[in-house]
Amino acid sequence: MKLESVRGMRDILPEEAVLWQRLEGEIRALFALYGYKEIRPPVVEPAELFARGVGEATDIVHKEMYVFPDKKGQMLALRPEATASVVRAYIEHGLYAKGDLAKLYYLGPMFRYEKPQKGRQRQFHQYGVEALGSLDPALDAEVIDLAWHLMERVGLSREGLFLRLNSIGCREDRPAYREALRAHFSARREELCADCQRRLAENPLRILDCKEPQCQEAIAAAPKSLDYLCPSCRAHFEELLSLLGDLGLAYTLDPRLVRGIDYYTRTVFELCSRELGAQDALLGGGRYDDLVEVLGGPPTPGVGFAGGMERLVLVLSQRQPLDAAAPDLDAYVVPIGAEARRKALELLAQLRRRGVAADLDYLGRSLRKAMSVAARRARYALLLGPDELAQGRLTLKDLRTGQSSSLFLGEFLANPRAFLA
RNA sequence: GGGAGCGUAGCUCAGCCUGGCAGAGCACCGCGCUGUGGACGCGGGGGUCGCGGGUUCAAGUCCCGUCGCUCCUCCCA
């Protein structure tokens, strides 16, 4: 039997990994710029954490979570998202007792058992931030500013993106809104699709998300969560909109935006790309003011977002195809003859100790072939043959211009950087 | 979970409809050029045609199953 990677879990090969490294670097740098510190929770957690945190009834937990017993029968889960883990760690280590906001970020693999397709894998990677401990709408605005800033930083223009924004209110507002939706849709039950008739009983909020044409009219006429906000939630949302205006950040109010995780309260948002297909959400997030308490900590509000690495890589690489031929070395050493090769190994070791990225041929290729590899991988070739050995020199060839020059080995090694501009 | 399309060389794909020697381009290796890459020419290596079963004198081609990928639905990152 041929061994292959598990369905929905793919290899990121060196060519693509270059882009991943660049993105991860920019993400870390930007998060640090906003005062977020990295946290690395485990990939495996008690299954119950997600059942309680994300919500037993959500698709993510109910249908898509990898759950398995360990050798003692404890039910574990591969994390389907990281917010619940971060909050668990926040409570477990008493981070709320440090007397300040906890601003945390993470980067890593998540797992959901779904049908794989473009922009959706079973093992995928998310980056995200969580700010725990303040209800200030300025923090919502900061998180959204960070999201926009990150997109700009990695090279995505504002024109190709749009931010969907909504407020779904706090837990006091929810029952009244749910009833209003139920009343509205019950009256028009006949025009709803089969799925939505079922949702009517289970969770009428979900109907807003439906894309069936036959449901659109009823959805358009549905009561909006914004009309059911309590005075404090309304004030919070209005302040957020005003702050976004000050920061010049575009948004589209979307009364249909509900999101698929139970812990959200008040602000919810998604940043989407116009250049992707069905899976167009690059990142999504919002407030979760009850989550810390639900997971056993002191009442603590929180806000954050999570973005998908794969989707970012997808958008970026479809605008700018990956360059497989990009040189990865400063210099390629090309020895001629057995004696020169011994000397070349020594030269190579010294170059690397001086911070010069260098390599040589280990496949016994011909000089011609070695030069061709050199041209592909490095800007400079360092030739070392009997002639050079006799004089204590080496030949430096600039592979871009084709110009060669002869240098004394000692002089070159004293400061190789000076010759490898 | 439901629907559609596609799996042939490392990569991109042709061949399948209408069964009859497994192909092209790129990449790789060698030589022309034994101390110098990109161009050119000549030559070469590489394949259980995704996997399993069936029909047939004969299956890459037709049928069934299965696995994988892609798209839609769904869900979301």
Side-chain angles (χ1 to χ4, degrees):
Chain A
M1 187 184 99
K2 190 161 58 172
L3 287 175
E4 288 175 349
S5 69
V6 170
R7 177 165 156 91
M9 307 200 180
R10 62 189 203 93
D11 301 306
I12 296 159
L13 299 176
E15 187 181 319
E16 190 185 328
V18 170
L19 178 54
W20 281 70
Q21 287 174 359
R22 199 204 99 199
L23 288 176
E24 286 164 0
E26 300 203 9
I27 287 165
R28 288 173 190 284
L30 196 66
F31 286 175
L33 214 51
Y34 281 68
Y36 290 80
K37 291 180 181 164
E38 186 179 10
I39 180 168
R40 302 194 189 194
V43 163
V44 175
E45 296 274 5
E48 195 195 343
L49 171 63
F50 302 108
R52 271 167 59 190
V54 176
E56 191 85 67
T58 59
D59 282 3
I60 291 176
V61 168
H62 186 237
K63 308 204 297 219
E64 301 169 359
M65 197 157 71
Y66 280 90
V67 181
F68 57 94
D70 72 3
K71 293 197 178 195
K72 283 193 172 171
Q74 186 186 187
M75 293 311 286
L76 304 178
L78 298 182
R79 62 181 182 191
E81 60 107 53
T83 301
S85 292
V86 171
V87 168
R88 194 222 78 237
Y90 173 83
I91 297 167
E92 186 171 333
H93 302 288
L95 301 186
Y96 47 82
K98 302 231 164 172
D100 195 3
L101 267 190
K103 296 175 80 173
L104 304 167
Y105 81 84
Y106 59 84
L107 208 59
M110 310 292 158
F111 304 84
R112 291 183 201 171
Y113 193 88
E114 294 185 89
K115 237 181 196 176
Q117 60 179 259
K118 199 183 202 88
R120 189 165 81 189
Q121 271 84 44
R122 287 183 175 178
Q123 174 175 338
F124 61 106
H125 299 77
Q126 286 189 330
Y127 54 88
V129 294
E130 315 290 355
L132 292 145
S134 167
L135 197 48
D136 190 342
L139 202 52
D140 303 43
E142 178 187 274
V143 162
I144 291 172
D145 176 56
L146 174 50
W148 273 114
H149 191 168
L150 180 60
M151 294 303 117
E152 290 163 23
R153 176 99 165 230
V154 302
L156 293 177
S157 67
R158 291 193 177 194
E159 293 71 50
L161 305 169
F162 59 99
L163 181 84
R164 302 167 66 203
L165 183 64
N166 194 18
S167 174
I168 55 174
C170 60
R171 66 182 139 180
E172 277 77 39
D173 308 340
R174 204 69 58 77
Y177 181 50
R178 187 164 312 188
E179 276 325 301
L181 283 175
R182 191 164 279 149
H184 168 80
F185 286 117
S186 295
R188 314 180 65 154
R189 191 187 168 84
E190 302 315 315
E191 41 182 301
L192 298 178
C193 69
D195 274 344
C196 284
Q197 299 201 8
R198 179 177 50 76
R199 289 171 180 140
L200 189 51
E202 289 173 6
N203 186 356
L205 271 170
R206 285 257 140 272
I207 300 178
L208 297 175
D209 232 2
C210 182
K211 278 116 194 159
E212 283 295 323
Q214 66 184 103
C215 301
Q216 297 315 302
E217 207 179 309
I219 290 170
K224 297 175 165 52
S225 58
L226 290 180
D227 295 328
Y228 287 79
L229 298 184
C230 62
S232 129
C233 285
R234 181 186 318 284
H236 181 99
F237 194 57
E238 276 165 10
E239 175 66 5
L240 171 60
L241 296 187
S242 151
L243 289 169
L244 291 178
D246 292 350
L247 294 172
L249 298 174
Y251 58 84
T252 311
L253 287 185
D254 186 348
R256 300 181 47 177
L257 180 63
V258 229
R259 301 189 51 75
I261 297 177
D262 282 355
Y263 54 59
Y264 284 116
T265 54
R266 294 196 170 96
T267 313
V268 291
F269 62 92
E270 272 178 19
L271 190 58
C272 303
S273 166
R274 300 182 202 279
E275 295 165 42
L276 289 177
Q279 318 302 330
D280 68 343
L282 288 173
L283 60 86
R287 275 209 162 266
Y288 43 90
D289 296 329
D290 302 326
L291 181 59
V292 178
E293 199 176 352
V294 164
L295 293 179
T300 309
V303 59
F305 71 75
M309 285 294 294
E310 278 80 1
R311 293 190 188 169
L312 211 46
V313 167
L314 216 55
V315 191
L316 290 171
S317 57
Q318 81 186 23
R319 325 171 112 223
Q320 173 100 61
L322 298 170
D323 184 6
D328 59 326
L329 299 172
D330 300 313
Y332 198 81
V333 178
V334 181
I336 301 155
E339 199 188 334
R341 196 180 130 97
R342 292 201 71 88
K343 191 72 187 168
L345 293 172
E346 216 181 300
L347 171 63
L348 197 55
Q350 292 179 33
L351 281 175
R352 289 164 172 168
R353 277 171 179 69
R354 286 164 177 71
V356 175
D359 206 351
L360 63 58
D361 171 53
Y362 288 103
L363 298 177
R365 279 187 278 225
S366 67
L367 172 63
R368 197 147 56 97
K369 201 62 214 168
M371 285 303 289
S372 142
V373 172
R376 190 164 63 238
R377 296 197 52 199
R379 168 78 192 277
Y380 293 96
L382 301 177
L383 287 108
L384 209 54
D387 296 352
E388 285 85 354
L389 283 190
Q391 302 174 50
R393 290 170 169 265
L394 61 74
T395 299
L396 173 77
K397 178 166 182 174
D398 183 329
L399 293 160
R400 199 138 66 191
T401 65
Q403 302 253 314
S404 292
S405 49
S406 178
L407 300 169
F408 284 108
L409 251 175
E411 204 178 318
F412 174 68
L413 275 175
N415 184 11
R417 287 258 154 232
F419 301 93
L420 304 173

